[in-house]
Amino acid sequence: MLQEKRNKSGMIAVMGLTLMLLVLVLMLENTIKPTHMIFIVLKKSAVYALVASSMNLLNGFTGLFSLGQAGFMLLGAYTYSILTIPVESRESVYYIYGGSAIKFSLPELFGGVVGLVLGVLVALILGGCVAALVAWLIGLPVLRLKSDYLAIATLGFGEIIRAVFQWDKLGPVTNGANALKSFPTFSSFNIENADGQVVLRLSAFVPLLLAAVCIGILLLLINSSYGRAFKAIREDEIAAEAMGINLAKHKRLAFCISSFFTGVGGGMFAMFANQAQAKNFVTSMTYEILLIVVIGGIGSISGSCIASFLYVAASEWWLRFLDSEAYIGNFQVPLLRTGFRMVVFSVIIMIVVLFFRRGLMGDKELPDLLRMLRSRGKRKEAAQ
């Protein structure tokens, strides 16, 4: 009973912090320049936080080492893009193939501003469903494997699906190796007046809101009976099976749920990048997500969210000055040149991993950290 109260109060605290963050972002977006680097960082970190959290569900909470995230993101990105490109733009996008095999656009089917919102949401959900369906199909044989063998199999899936989507025979649907463009992006949610001037910017608010809702659903799942079953499988499969947990069913369920949210994240990545192209969803993208999970803490959704922002901000913004030459008078500062940023970034990651063996948050969530700080404050007051 006490634990339930603690979990409930912790969830309320996290919801309050999330709401405050969303309001702050909305205010910042409508007060400072929309081209500021912080908004690019917020958009990308929101996408990466969702994908890292879904990967953490599989790797951190269920103990299944999968490396197929880039493939599932590709499925979500292409499904979203194909279903939302306006009909009048399809001929120019698919100019090599003389037009698209898909003759409709979801936002246009619904119509109006509400239709745009509904069309985008339905397309993102369908992107997640396609990724989940493919995960279910490949999970039938692949989930019989364990550890490194499962990682290699899912990594191979990511490479295969990328090659399939670039196959010229599928060009009328996937546009082959060419990029899909002209679909609604995060900027499409900005509210304009009759003269076409933006009166309310929502391009950074929307991805954060979508990511917050999806991650909230993941947290509810982890704290449910299914989540406890996933954790039991991670700790000891034999003991979990002895307690009546169906290993195959729960592994497949975790794999499909993780793939669903990864597919949604892939659709959001397409919205962030303003295009969807198979060559962007390479293995290195999966490694980036895995690195975020490790830095944040395997088994911590809060850690994945925090690490996503730190990773994107450090690599794309804070260390950017290291890539350009600098002078102090006539003296040129050594080492500062193109590529040095990634060298320093790699060293920082090594230091973080060495000093935080279990990641920034370990297996703790933000409510646990808040409770620890509160109890520490009470102990100090008692000591005084």
Short mmCIF file of all heavy atoms in Angstrom, two decimals, residues 50-51 53-55 57-58 68-69 71-77 79 121-136 210 213-215 217-218 221 252-268:
data_model
loop_
_atom_site.label_atom_id
_atom_site.label_comp_id
_atom_site.label_asym_id
_atom_site.label_seq_id
_atom_site.Cartn_x
_atom_site.Cartn_y
_atom_site.Cartn_z
N LEU A 50 12.19 9.03 -27.27
CA LEU A 50 11.14 8.02 -27.47
C LEU A 50 11.74 6.70 -27.95
O LEU A 50 11.41 5.62 -27.43
CB LEU A 50 10.12 8.53 -28.49
CG LEU A 50 9.04 7.54 -28.92
CD1 LEU A 50 8.28 6.99 -27.72
CD2 LEU A 50 8.08 8.18 -29.92
N VAL A 51 12.64 6.75 -28.94
CA VAL A 51 13.24 5.53 -29.48
C VAL A 51 14.14 4.86 -28.42
O VAL A 51 14.13 3.63 -28.27
CB VAL A 51 14.05 5.83 -30.75
CG1 VAL A 51 14.68 4.55 -31.31
CG2 VAL A 51 13.16 6.47 -31.81
N SER A 53 13.79 5.08 -25.16
CA SER A 53 12.91 4.51 -24.13
C SER A 53 12.32 3.18 -24.59
O SER A 53 12.23 2.22 -23.81
CB SER A 53 11.79 5.49 -23.79
OG SER A 53 12.30 6.69 -23.26
N SER A 54 11.93 3.11 -25.87
CA SER A 54 11.39 1.85 -26.39
C SER A 54 12.47 0.79 -26.46
O SER A 54 12.21 -0.40 -26.21
CB SER A 54 10.78 2.08 -27.78
OG SER A 54 11.76 2.50 -28.70
N MET A 55 13.70 1.19 -26.76
CA MET A 55 14.81 0.24 -26.76
C MET A 55 15.12 -0.23 -25.34
O MET A 55 15.46 -1.39 -25.11
CB MET A 55 16.05 0.88 -27.38
CG MET A 55 17.22 -0.08 -27.60
SD MET A 55 18.63 0.74 -28.34
CE MET A 55 19.61 -0.67 -28.87
N LEU A 57 12.95 -0.54 -22.98
CA LEU A 57 11.92 -1.52 -22.61
C LEU A 57 12.37 -2.93 -22.97
O LEU A 57 12.16 -3.87 -22.20
CB LEU A 57 10.61 -1.19 -23.32
CG LEU A 57 9.48 -2.22 -23.19
CD1 LEU A 57 8.96 -2.27 -21.76
CD2 LEU A 57 8.35 -1.94 -24.16
N LEU A 58 13.01 -3.05 -24.12
CA LEU A 58 13.44 -4.36 -24.61
C LEU A 58 14.76 -4.79 -23.98
O LEU A 58 14.87 -5.88 -23.41
CB LEU A 58 13.57 -4.31 -26.13
CG LEU A 58 13.60 -5.64 -26.87
CD1 LEU A 58 12.32 -6.43 -26.65
CD2 LEU A 58 13.81 -5.40 -28.36
N GLY A 68 17.86 -3.78 -33.85
CA GLY A 68 17.11 -3.54 -35.09
C GLY A 68 16.36 -2.23 -35.11
O GLY A 68 15.46 -2.04 -35.93
N GLN A 69 16.72 -1.30 -34.22
CA GLN A 69 15.95 -0.05 -34.09
C GLN A 69 15.93 0.77 -35.37
O GLN A 69 14.90 1.35 -35.72
CB GLN A 69 16.52 0.80 -32.94
CG GLN A 69 15.89 0.55 -31.59
CD GLN A 69 16.03 -0.89 -31.13
OE1 GLN A 69 17.05 -1.53 -31.39
NE2 GLN A 69 15.03 -1.40 -30.45
N GLY A 71 16.00 -0.25 -38.42
CA GLY A 71 15.06 -0.87 -39.35
C GLY A 71 13.62 -0.55 -39.03
O GLY A 71 12.81 -0.25 -39.92
N PHE A 72 13.27 -0.60 -37.75
CA PHE A 72 11.90 -0.29 -37.34
C PHE A 72 11.59 1.20 -37.50
O PHE A 72 10.46 1.57 -37.83
CB PHE A 72 11.65 -0.75 -35.91
CG PHE A 72 11.71 -2.24 -35.73
CD1 PHE A 72 12.64 -2.83 -34.89
CD2 PHE A 72 10.85 -3.06 -36.43
CE1 PHE A 72 12.71 -4.20 -34.75
CE2 PHE A 72 10.90 -4.44 -36.29
CZ PHE A 72 11.84 -5.01 -35.45
N MET A 73 12.59 2.05 -37.26
CA MET A 73 12.41 3.48 -37.51
C MET A 73 12.16 3.74 -39.00
O MET A 73 11.32 4.57 -39.36
CB MET A 73 13.64 4.27 -37.04
CG MET A 73 13.77 4.40 -35.54
SD MET A 73 15.22 5.38 -35.07
CE MET A 73 14.71 7.02 -35.56
N LEU A 74 12.87 3.02 -39.85
CA LEU A 74 12.68 3.15 -41.29
C LEU A 74 11.25 2.80 -41.69
O LEU A 74 10.62 3.50 -42.47
CB LEU A 74 13.69 2.26 -42.02
CG LEU A 74 13.73 2.32 -43.55
CD1 LEU A 74 15.13 2.04 -44.05
CD2 LEU A 74 12.77 1.33 -44.19
N LEU A 75 10.74 1.70 -41.13
CA LEU A 75 9.37 1.29 -41.43
C LEU A 75 8.37 2.36 -41.02
O LEU A 75 7.44 2.69 -41.77
CB LEU A 75 9.06 -0.03 -40.71
CG LEU A 75 9.73 -1.29 -41.25
CD1 LEU A 75 9.55 -2.44 -40.27
CD2 LEU A 75 9.14 -1.66 -42.60
N GLY A 76 8.54 2.92 -39.83
CA GLY A 76 7.65 3.98 -39.36
C GLY A 76 7.76 5.23 -40.19
O GLY A 76 6.74 5.86 -40.52
N ALA A 77 9.00 5.61 -40.56
CA ALA A 77 9.21 6.84 -41.34
C ALA A 77 8.59 6.72 -42.73
O ALA A 77 7.91 7.64 -43.20
CB ALA A 77 10.71 7.12 -41.46
N THR A 79 6.19 4.58 -43.74
CA THR A 79 4.73 4.46 -43.65
C THR A 79 4.09 5.82 -43.45
O THR A 79 3.11 6.17 -44.13
CB THR A 79 4.33 3.52 -42.49
OG1 THR A 79 4.95 2.24 -42.68
CG2 THR A 79 2.82 3.35 -42.42
N LEU A 121 -1.60 11.97 -36.83
CA LEU A 121 -1.66 11.01 -35.73
C LEU A 121 -1.96 9.59 -36.23
O LEU A 121 -1.31 8.63 -35.81
CB LEU A 121 -2.73 11.43 -34.72
CG LEU A 121 -2.42 12.66 -33.86
CD1 LEU A 121 -3.60 13.00 -32.97
CD2 LEU A 121 -1.18 12.42 -33.01
N VAL A 122 -2.91 9.47 -37.15
CA VAL A 122 -3.25 8.15 -37.69
C VAL A 122 -2.07 7.57 -38.45
O VAL A 122 -1.77 6.37 -38.34
CB VAL A 122 -4.50 8.25 -38.60
CG1 VAL A 122 -4.72 6.94 -39.36
CG2 VAL A 122 -5.73 8.59 -37.78
N ALA A 123 -1.37 8.41 -39.23
CA ALA A 123 -0.22 7.93 -39.99
C ALA A 123 0.91 7.47 -39.06
O ALA A 123 1.56 6.45 -39.32
CB ALA A 123 0.29 9.03 -40.93
N LEU A 124 1.14 8.21 -37.97
CA LEU A 124 2.16 7.81 -37.01
C LEU A 124 1.80 6.48 -36.35
O LEU A 124 2.65 5.60 -36.18
CB LEU A 124 2.34 8.89 -35.94
CG LEU A 124 3.07 10.17 -36.37
CD1 LEU A 124 3.02 11.20 -35.25
CD2 LEU A 124 4.52 9.88 -36.74
N ILE A 125 0.53 6.34 -35.97
CA ILE A 125 0.08 5.09 -35.34
C ILE A 125 0.18 3.92 -36.31
O ILE A 125 0.63 2.82 -35.94
CB ILE A 125 -1.36 5.25 -34.82
CG1 ILE A 125 -1.39 6.24 -33.65
CG2 ILE A 125 -1.93 3.90 -34.38
CD1 ILE A 125 -2.79 6.65 -33.22
N LEU A 126 -0.19 4.16 -37.58
CA LEU A 126 -0.07 3.11 -38.59
C LEU A 126 1.39 2.74 -38.83
O LEU A 126 1.71 1.57 -39.06
CB LEU A 126 -0.73 3.55 -39.90
CG LEU A 126 -2.26 3.59 -39.89
CD1 LEU A 126 -2.78 4.16 -41.20
CD2 LEU A 126 -2.83 2.20 -39.65
N GLY A 127 2.27 3.75 -38.78
CA GLY A 127 3.71 3.47 -38.89
C GLY A 127 4.18 2.57 -37.77
O GLY A 127 4.95 1.62 -37.99
N GLY A 128 3.70 2.84 -36.54
CA GLY A 128 4.03 1.98 -35.41
C GLY A 128 3.45 0.59 -35.58
O GLY A 128 4.10 -0.42 -35.25
N CYS A 129 2.23 0.50 -36.12
CA CYS A 129 1.57 -0.80 -36.32
C CYS A 129 2.31 -1.64 -37.35
O CYS A 129 2.46 -2.87 -37.18
CB CYS A 129 0.12 -0.61 -36.75
SG CYS A 129 -0.94 0.05 -35.45
N VAL A 130 2.78 -1.01 -38.43
CA VAL A 130 3.55 -1.73 -39.45
C VAL A 130 4.84 -2.28 -38.84
O VAL A 130 5.21 -3.44 -39.07
CB VAL A 130 3.86 -0.81 -40.65
CG1 VAL A 130 4.88 -1.47 -41.59
CG2 VAL A 130 2.59 -0.49 -41.41
N ALA A 131 5.52 -1.45 -38.04
CA ALA A 131 6.75 -1.89 -37.38
C ALA A 131 6.46 -3.04 -36.42
O ALA A 131 7.22 -4.01 -36.35
CB ALA A 131 7.40 -0.72 -36.64
N ALA A 132 5.35 -2.94 -35.68
CA ALA A 132 4.98 -4.00 -34.72
C ALA A 132 4.64 -5.30 -35.45
O ALA A 132 4.99 -6.40 -34.99
CB ALA A 132 3.81 -3.55 -33.86
N LEU A 133 3.94 -5.18 -36.58
CA LEU A 133 3.57 -6.38 -37.36
C LEU A 133 4.82 -7.08 -37.89
O LEU A 133 4.93 -8.32 -37.78
CB LEU A 133 2.66 -5.97 -38.52
CG LEU A 133 2.26 -7.10 -39.48
CD1 LEU A 133 1.47 -8.18 -38.75
CD2 LEU A 133 1.45 -6.54 -40.65
N VAL A 134 5.75 -6.32 -38.44
CA VAL A 134 7.00 -6.91 -38.94
C VAL A 134 7.79 -7.51 -37.78
O VAL A 134 8.39 -8.58 -37.90
CB VAL A 134 7.85 -5.85 -39.68
CG1 VAL A 134 9.21 -6.40 -40.06
CG2 VAL A 134 7.11 -5.37 -40.93
N ALA A 135 7.78 -6.83 -36.62
CA ALA A 135 8.47 -7.37 -35.42
C ALA A 135 7.86 -8.71 -35.00
O ALA A 135 8.59 -9.63 -34.61
CB ALA A 135 8.38 -6.36 -34.28
N TRP A 136 6.53 -8.80 -35.08
CA TRP A 136 5.88 -10.05 -34.72
C TRP A 136 6.29 -11.18 -35.67
O TRP A 136 6.56 -12.30 -35.24
CB TRP A 136 4.36 -9.87 -34.75
CG TRP A 136 3.60 -11.10 -34.33
CD1 TRP A 136 3.36 -11.53 -33.06
CD2 TRP A 136 3.00 -12.07 -35.20
NE1 TRP A 136 2.65 -12.71 -33.07
CE2 TRP A 136 2.42 -13.07 -34.37
CE3 TRP A 136 2.90 -12.19 -36.58
CZ2 TRP A 136 1.75 -14.17 -34.89
CZ3 TRP A 136 2.23 -13.28 -37.11
CH2 TRP A 136 1.65 -14.26 -36.27
N LEU A 210 4.16 14.72 -28.17
CA LEU A 210 4.01 13.35 -28.68
C LEU A 210 4.92 12.38 -27.94
O LEU A 210 4.50 11.28 -27.54
CB LEU A 210 4.31 13.31 -30.18
CG LEU A 210 3.29 13.97 -31.11
CD1 LEU A 210 3.83 14.03 -32.53
CD2 LEU A 210 1.98 13.22 -31.09
N VAL A 213 3.65 11.78 -24.32
CA VAL A 213 2.50 10.87 -24.25
C VAL A 213 2.94 9.42 -24.44
O VAL A 213 2.53 8.52 -23.69
CB VAL A 213 1.45 11.27 -25.31
CG1 VAL A 213 0.36 10.21 -25.41
CG2 VAL A 213 0.83 12.62 -24.97
N CYS A 214 3.78 9.18 -25.45
CA CYS A 214 4.24 7.81 -25.73
C CYS A 214 5.08 7.25 -24.58
O CYS A 214 4.91 6.09 -24.18
CB CYS A 214 5.04 7.79 -27.03
SG CYS A 214 4.07 8.12 -28.51
N ILE A 215 5.98 8.07 -24.05
CA ILE A 215 6.82 7.62 -22.93
C ILE A 215 5.98 7.39 -21.69
O ILE A 215 6.24 6.47 -20.90
CB ILE A 215 7.95 8.64 -22.68
CG1 ILE A 215 8.94 8.64 -23.86
CG2 ILE A 215 8.71 8.31 -21.39
CD1 ILE A 215 9.95 9.75 -23.82
N ILE A 217 2.91 6.29 -21.69
CA ILE A 217 2.29 4.97 -21.89
C ILE A 217 3.28 3.86 -21.58
O ILE A 217 2.92 2.85 -20.96
CB ILE A 217 1.76 4.85 -23.34
CG1 ILE A 217 0.62 5.87 -23.56
CG2 ILE A 217 1.26 3.44 -23.62
CD1 ILE A 217 0.19 5.99 -25.01
N LEU A 218 4.52 4.05 -22.00
CA LEU A 218 5.56 3.05 -21.70
C LEU A 218 5.76 2.89 -20.19
O LEU A 218 5.91 1.77 -19.69
CB LEU A 218 6.89 3.45 -22.35
CG LEU A 218 7.08 3.10 -23.83
CD1 LEU A 218 8.37 3.72 -24.36
CD2 LEU A 218 7.12 1.59 -24.01
N LEU A 221 2.99 0.92 -18.70
CA LEU A 221 3.17 -0.49 -19.02
C LEU A 221 4.22 -1.13 -18.11
O LEU A 221 4.02 -2.23 -17.58
CB LEU A 221 3.59 -0.64 -20.48
CG LEU A 221 3.96 -2.06 -20.94
CD1 LEU A 221 2.71 -2.94 -20.97
CD2 LEU A 221 4.63 -2.03 -22.30
N ARG A 252 7.73 -11.86 -27.05
CA ARG A 252 7.16 -11.35 -28.30
C ARG A 252 6.37 -10.07 -28.07
O ARG A 252 6.42 -9.14 -28.87
CB ARG A 252 6.27 -12.42 -28.94
CG ARG A 252 6.00 -12.19 -30.43
CD ARG A 252 5.22 -13.33 -31.04
NE ARG A 252 5.93 -14.59 -30.90
CZ ARG A 252 5.46 -15.66 -30.27
NH1 ARG A 252 4.26 -15.62 -29.74
NH2 ARG A 252 6.17 -16.76 -30.20
N LEU A 253 5.67 -10.00 -26.94
CA LEU A 253 4.91 -8.80 -26.61
C LEU A 253 5.83 -7.61 -26.40
O LEU A 253 5.59 -6.52 -26.92
CB LEU A 253 4.08 -9.06 -25.34
CG LEU A 253 3.16 -7.92 -24.88
CD1 LEU A 253 2.09 -7.64 -25.93
CD2 LEU A 253 2.51 -8.26 -23.55
N ALA A 254 6.90 -7.81 -25.65
CA ALA A 254 7.87 -6.74 -25.42
C ALA A 254 8.52 -6.29 -26.72
O ALA A 254 8.71 -5.08 -26.97
CB ALA A 254 8.95 -7.20 -24.43
N PHE A 255 8.84 -7.25 -27.58
CA PHE A 255 9.46 -6.95 -28.87
C PHE A 255 8.53 -6.13 -29.76
O PHE A 255 8.94 -5.15 -30.38
CB PHE A 255 9.84 -8.27 -29.55
CG PHE A 255 10.78 -8.12 -30.71
CD1 PHE A 255 11.91 -7.34 -30.63
CD2 PHE A 255 10.54 -8.79 -31.91
CE1 PHE A 255 12.79 -7.20 -31.70
CE2 PHE A 255 11.40 -8.66 -32.99
CZ PHE A 255 12.53 -7.87 -32.88
N CYS A 256 7.25 -6.51 -29.80
CA CYS A 256 6.27 -5.80 -30.63
C CYS A 256 5.97 -4.41 -30.09
O CYS A 256 5.87 -3.45 -30.87
CB CYS A 256 4.98 -6.62 -30.74
SG CYS A 256 5.14 -8.13 -31.70
N ILE A 257 5.83 -4.28 -28.78
CA ILE A 257 5.55 -2.96 -28.18
C ILE A 257 6.73 -2.02 -28.40
O ILE A 257 6.56 -0.85 -28.78
CB ILE A 257 5.23 -3.10 -26.68
CG1 ILE A 257 3.90 -3.83 -26.49
CG2 ILE A 257 5.17 -1.73 -26.01
CD1 ILE A 257 3.59 -4.19 -25.06
N SER A 258 7.93 -2.53 -28.17
CA SER A 258 9.13 -1.73 -28.40
C SER A 258 9.22 -1.28 -29.86
O SER A 258 9.51 -0.13 -30.15
CB SER A 258 10.38 -2.53 -28.02
OG SER A 258 11.56 -1.84 -28.38
N SER A 259 8.91 -2.20 -30.78
CA SER A 259 8.97 -1.88 -32.21
C SER A 259 7.89 -0.88 -32.59
O SER A 259 8.11 -0.02 -33.45
CB SER A 259 8.81 -3.16 -33.03
OG SER A 259 9.83 -4.09 -32.70
N PHE A 260 6.71 -0.98 -31.97
CA PHE A 260 5.64 -0.03 -32.25
C PHE A 260 6.08 1.39 -31.95
O PHE A 260 5.95 2.30 -32.79
CB PHE A 260 4.39 -0.38 -31.43
CG PHE A 260 3.30 0.65 -31.53
CD1 PHE A 260 2.41 0.63 -32.59
CD2 PHE A 260 3.18 1.66 -30.57
CE1 PHE A 260 1.41 1.58 -32.69
CE2 PHE A 260 2.18 2.62 -30.67
CZ PHE A 260 1.29 2.58 -31.74
N PHE A 261 6.61 1.62 -30.76
CA PHE A 261 7.02 2.97 -30.38
C PHE A 261 8.26 3.42 -31.16
O PHE A 261 8.44 4.62 -31.42
CB PHE A 261 7.25 3.06 -28.87
CG PHE A 261 5.98 3.06 -28.08
CD1 PHE A 261 5.59 1.96 -27.35
CD2 PHE A 261 5.15 4.17 -28.09
CE1 PHE A 261 4.40 1.95 -26.63
CE2 PHE A 261 3.95 4.18 -27.39
CZ PHE A 261 3.58 3.07 -26.66
N THR A 262 9.11 2.47 -31.55
CA THR A 262 10.24 2.81 -32.41
C THR A 262 9.74 3.26 -33.78
O THR A 262 10.28 4.20 -34.37
CB THR A 262 11.19 1.61 -32.57
OG1 THR A 262 11.64 1.19 -31.28
CG2 THR A 262 12.39 1.97 -33.42
N GLY A 263 8.69 2.59 -34.30
CA GLY A 263 8.09 3.00 -35.56
C GLY A 263 7.48 4.39 -35.47
O GLY A 263 7.63 5.20 -36.40
N VAL A 264 6.81 4.69 -34.37
CA VAL A 264 6.28 6.04 -34.15
C VAL A 264 7.43 7.05 -34.13
O VAL A 264 7.35 8.13 -34.72
CB VAL A 264 5.46 6.11 -32.85
CG1 VAL A 264 5.04 7.55 -32.55
CG2 VAL A 264 4.23 5.22 -32.94
N GLY A 265 8.52 6.69 -33.44
CA GLY A 265 9.70 7.54 -33.41
C GLY A 265 10.30 7.74 -34.80
O GLY A 265 10.80 8.83 -35.12
N GLY A 266 10.23 6.70 -35.65
CA GLY A 266 10.72 6.84 -37.02
C GLY A 266 9.89 7.83 -37.82
O GLY A 266 10.44 8.65 -38.58
N GLY A 267 8.57 7.80 -37.63
CA GLY A 267 7.71 8.79 -38.29
C GLY A 267 8.02 10.20 -37.82
O GLY A 267 8.06 11.14 -38.62
N MET A 268 8.27 10.34 -36.52
CA MET A 268 8.63 11.66 -35.98
C MET A 268 9.99 12.11 -36.49
O MET A 268 10.21 13.31 -36.72
CB MET A 268 8.63 11.60 -34.45
CG MET A 268 7.24 11.47 -33.84
SD MET A 268 7.28 11.20 -32.05
CE MET A 268 8.09 12.70 -31.48
#
